[in-house]
Amino acid sequence: MRILLIGEYSRLHNSIKEGLQILGHEVTLVSDGDSFKKYPSDYYITPKNTTKGIFNIVRQVLFRVFKHDLAYWERGLRFYKLLPHLKNYDIVQFINEAPIKTIPFFEKYLLNQIINRNTKTFLLCCGIDFTIAKYMMDKKPRYSLMNPYFEDKSLVTEYRYILDYLSPSRKKLHDFLYSKIQGVIASDMDYALPLKDNPKFIGLVPNPVNTAKLNYTEPFIYSKIIIFLGFNRWTYNQKGIFYFEKALEIIKRKYPDKTEIIVTETLPYSEYIKTYDRAHILMDQVYAYDQGYNALEAMAKGKVVFTGAETEFMEYYNLTEKVAVNALPDVNSLVKELSCLIENPEKITAISKNARAFIDKEHEYIKSASQYLEIWKRKQIEIKKAVS
């Protein structure tokens, strides 16, 4: 089949592409490389002119005055020029509801062009969109990354990009897409749960991980247990970093001779990976039910990761042993979990091995690509039966 993947997020579409190509399919990826992360793409729509020199100065001024970013327009125009190349594909998959990342009405126009020029279109839910934002704002989950905002509205600047998904223009884009796509696929439990009763929801396919590129290292402990916390200031509250910091302060006082704690802020990705490679334990996030890509990558390498591993996740995968530590927004709970590992280091080794085995079984990228193919084909058969 000829498959077109539009947009990128945490290397998700790149991993799917690699798996699909090994399975013998022709795959084209169009994206901006996920911004500064610069992931590979067959066609780039990264803004260039509006982000350099005098044009960037003009862009900054216009944004401050009118709240419109010229880079969004440039991204859309670059995609528009590619339209003649983006037709006659059997399958198109959007990384989210705004995969091009241009102005909403231009986004709708461009996505409609893609839908009309190709055969079947699917949507991924692997981050914030209208459905996820509304689910959190309605306080349906037990907790979510919106908790800090609910408790302190002064954090509105940090949360504005999420609140923006509930705007009328975003809602229109959401409604339009859901009227056109064949179905929406979730990448983990954090997105599957909000979509559970949605008629367009056609299944969960676990985040693909190219395990061939990630070497497993058994966590030998020579003297101290190394705990790593690396975070981005912009997502400090959304990840619940405050809870980790408080817990690590207590652990440092409680086990000064048994632990080494490394805390970094806003490191480039390559440096971030290099720094945490020394660690036995990695602190990821507290407001999650399942694992994101950073956590999965660390688990594949053999780290014990404090992240989302809720009951819903354990039940979905029929797990009876820990593959990660469920990090709750509760300092006492985090201290208890860390203390247990420090006092029983053999548990670090056990969870590490469980984690790698879990990634190999459920997240291996070729298996993941096969699951996408299965879902796409199944939906095509259902549509043909409905028409006939």
Side-chain angles (χ1 to χ4, degrees):
M1 286 199 298
R2 297 184 72 236
I3 300 164
L4 175 62
L5 304 175
I6 297 181
E8 183 57 295
Y9 180 69
S10 292
R11 210 183 181 281
L12 175 50
H13 263 170
N14 266 277
S15 297
I16 295 172
K17 177 186 174 182
E18 290 164 357
L20 290 169
Q21 287 178 322
I22 287 176
L23 294 171
H25 299 277
E26 178 188 337
V27 188
T28 301
L29 173 57
V30 182
S31 79
D32 67 351
D34 198 9
S35 189
F36 70 91
K37 297 174 185 175
K38 298 181 180 178
Y39 293 122
S41 190
D42 297 299
Y43 293 107
Y44 283 101
I45 55 172
T46 312
K48 295 179 181 178
N49 298 331
T50 55
T51 58
K52 294 180 180 178
I54 187 67
F55 291 106
N56 189 44
I57 296 173
V58 173
R59 172 190 165 218
Q60 300 292 341
V61 172
L62 289 175
F63 182 76
R64 287 173 186 170
V65 177
F66 299 106
K67 303 303 179 186
H68 287 295
D69 191 341
L70 288 178
Y72 278 60
W73 283 99
E74 183 182 353
R75 197 182 280 109
L77 289 170
R78 288 184 180 279
F79 190 91
Y80 176 80
K81 291 179 181 179
L82 291 174
L83 285 176
H85 303 283
L86 308 179
K87 60 184 179 180
N88 301 323
Y89 284 88
D90 301 298
I91 298 291
V92 177
Q93 182 164 273
F94 301 134
I95 197 75
N96 56 33
E97 293 181 0
I100 302 166
K101 294 191 282 190
T102 186
I103 305 303
F105 78 85
F106 197 16
E107 185 97 32
K108 179 181 175 182
Y109 168 80
L110 293 172
L111 295 182
N112 193 44
Q113 290 296 309
I114 291 294
I115 291 166
N116 291 336
R117 292 165 187 246
N118 297 284
T119 308
K120 295 288 184 292
T121 308
F122 295 85
L123 174 67
L124 258 181
C125 184
C126 58
I128 304 298
D129 60 17
F130 173 80
T131 301
I132 304 305
K134 189 171 189 311
Y135 182 77
M136 293 190 298
M137 285 299 291
D138 290 344
K139 299 184 179 180
K140 290 184 177 180
R142 294 189 296 277
Y143 55 81
S144 77
L145 56 81
M146 294 300 294
N147 275 34
Y149 172 74
F150 294 147
E151 296 165 10
D152 182 2
K153 294 298 192 294
S154 70
L155 297 174
V156 65
T157 301
E158 182 178 331
Y159 283 87
R160 195 178 301 283
Y161 85 97
I162 297 175
L163 300 173
D164 181 56
Y165 279 95
L166 299 173
S167 67
S169 60
R170 291 283 193 171
K171 176 66 164 58
K172 285 181 182 177
L173 180 59
H174 164 83
D175 291 342
F176 163 75
L177 270 180
Y178 271 67
S179 72
K180 297 286 187 177
I181 58 172
Q182 271 62 58
V184 58
I185 300 167
S187 64
D188 68 43
M189 294 302 297
D190 288 289
Y191 310 113
L193 292 171
L195 287 166
K196 186 173 63 173
D197 298 320
N198 192 307
K200 285 289 185 175
F201 181 47
I202 53 175
L204 185 159
V205 179
N207 276 305
V209 177
N210 191 333
T211 50
K213 295 182 178 180
L214 297 169
N215 295 322
Y216 172 78
T217 303
E218 189 171 330
F220 291 109
I221 300 166
Y222 298 103
S223 56
K224 294 184 177 183
I225 293 171
I226 303 171
I227 305 170
F228 176 80
L229 170 62
F231 64 92
N232 184 324
R233 179 56 60 178
W234 182 246
T235 56
Y236 178 89
N237 290 293
Q238 296 167 37
K239 299 280 187 180
I241 302 302
F242 165 85
Y243 293 101
F244 287 143
E245 288 180 331
K246 292 295 182 185
L248 290 176
E249 285 175 11
I250 295 170
I251 290 297
K252 192 173 183 178
R253 292 194 301 268
K254 190 176 178 182
Y255 302 103
D257 300 322
K258 290 186 176 182
T259 59
E260 177 185 346
I261 296 171
I262 303 171
V263 179
T264 66
E265 181 179 341
T266 320
L267 287 179
Y269 181 73
S270 58
E271 194 176 336
Y272 170 85
I273 297 299
K274 196 180 297 182
T275 305
Y276 90 56
D277 271 345
R278 291 182 55 230
H280 303 105
I281 298 171
L282 183 141
M283 316 302 280
D284 179 47
Q285 61 178 320
V286 303
Y287 296 120
Y289 286 63
D290 200 337
Q291 303 93 52
Y293 190 78
N294 275 352
L296 294 172
E297 188 175 65
M299 289 163 65
K301 288 184 169 186
K303 310 304 176 187
V304 173
V305 183
F306 278 61
T307 185
E310 270 289 358
T311 303
E312 291 87 344
F313 159 77
M314 297 290 287
E315 290 176 349
Y316 180 83
Y317 289 104
N318 295 313
L319 296 171
T320 56
E321 297 181 329
K322 282 185 178 181
V323 297
V325 178
N326 188 34
L328 298 173
D330 181 312
V331 174
N332 291 331
S333 172
L334 295 172
V335 170
K336 181 180 178 181
E337 293 284 3
L338 283 166
S339 297
C340 181
L341 294 173
I342 294 164
E343 293 172 10
N344 302 278
E346 70 278 3
K347 291 188 177 184
I348 293 177
T349 303
I351 295 173
S352 167
K353 290 179 178 178
N354 292 343
R356 178 64 191 217
F358 170 72
I359 300 297
D360 286 337
K361 182 183 177 184
E362 303 291 353
H363 290 275
E364 197 274 334
Y365 73 116
I366 300 175
K367 178 180 179 178
S368 180
S370 298
Q371 288 178 281
Y372 276 101
L373 289 170
E374 184 183 330
I375 285 180
W376 294 335
K377 289 176 181 177
R378 186 177 74 230
K379 194 61 184 177
Q380 285 176 310
I381 292 170
E382 288 175 3
I383 292 169
K384 286 179 182 177
K385 285 182 177 178
V387 171
S388 61

